[in-house]
């Protein structure tokens, strides 16, 4: 046997820092969230600025439109979830409804100030992103457990 290693024992594999980062749900959550934000913000701009929709309607529609992209990518890519699809979708929908009301209120409030709706959208996104990570990880897409005893 090469290298005089005991039978049945393998040397530990070293994992690169980039691989550790890439496989961590927080990093992937941030990537998906960034993509979802671009879609969401772009749709608000398109609907409100380019087509003249009322800001509250453009904000709500854009936020809800990013639902499918975000849910699917968070489920499959960020959390590799095996949670039952129906239950996860219901929990996600509840969270999206709460986030939509919060986001519309904050964007509308900021629109009445000198900083404008864009900064309101950025701040609402930051606030919901932090809370949503934990909601996604523990409530919407809980980790798969093989042994449910004492869980």
């Amino acid at each position: 046997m090469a290298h005089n290693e005991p039978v049945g024992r393998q040397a530990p594999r070293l994992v690169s820092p980039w691989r550790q980062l890439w496989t961590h749900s927080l990093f992937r959550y941030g990537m998906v969230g960034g993509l979802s934000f671009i879609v969401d913000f772009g749709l608000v701009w398109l609907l409100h600025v380019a087509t003249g929709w009322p800001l509250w309607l453009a904000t709500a529609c854009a936020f809800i439109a990013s639902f499918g992209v975000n849910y699917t990518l968070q489920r499959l890519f960020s959390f590799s979830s095996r949670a039952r699809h129906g239950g996860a979708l219901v929990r996600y929908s509840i969270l999206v409804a709460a986030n939509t009301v919060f986001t519309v209120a904050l964007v509308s409030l900021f629109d009445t100030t000198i900083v404008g709706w864009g900064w309101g959208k950025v701040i609402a996104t930051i606030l919901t992103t932090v809370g949503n990570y934990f909601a996604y990880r523990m409530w919407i897409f809980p980790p798969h457990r093989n042994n449910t005893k004492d869980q």
Side-chain angles (χ1 to χ4, degrees):
M1 183 167 189
H3 306 345
N4 295 326
E5 290 183 20
V7 174
R9 187 171 172 180
Q10 295 179 347
R13 289 184 61 194
L14 297 177
V15 178
S16 76
W18 290 111
R19 177 138 175 93
Q20 285 180 323
L21 181 64
W22 179 255
T23 59
H24 197 281
S25 64
L26 182 60
F27 178 75
R28 293 179 295 177
Y29 170 80
M31 288 179 51
V32 170
L35 175 63
S36 297
F37 178 76
I38 290 168
V39 169
D40 189 4
F41 194 93
L43 285 173
V44 170
W45 181 89
L46 179 68
L47 296 173
H48 177 62
V49 176
T51 64
W53 287 25
L55 180 61
W56 69 269
L57 183 58
T59 301
C61 289
F63 194 75
I64 293 168
S66 66
F67 174 98
V69 172
N70 195 340
Y71 174 80
T72 301
L73 291 177
Q74 294 294 9
R75 179 180 175 82
L76 299 175
F77 178 66
S78 300
F79 298 100
S80 302
S81 178
R82 294 183 194 165
R84 296 192 70 184
H85 191 61
L89 190 55
V90 167
R91 291 186 297 273
Y92 185 81
S93 298
I94 292 167
L95 185 63
V96 165
N99 286 341
T100 301
V101 170
F102 174 76
T103 300
V104 168
L106 200 60
V107 169
S108 297
L109 177 67
F110 269 75
D111 191 46
T112 64
T113 71
I114 195 165
V115 295
W117 68 266
W119 278 106
K121 183 66 178 161
V122 170
I123 291 170
T125 299
I126 291 168
L127 294 174
T128 57
T129 296
V130 172
N132 286 352
Y133 174 74
F134 297 103
Y136 284 17
R137 185 170 174 91
M138 305 312 282
W139 184 51
I140 295 172
F141 306 122
H144 179 69
R145 293 180 177 93
N146 290 332
N147 181 3
T148 58
K149 184 178 179 183
D150 297 325
Q151 302 273 337

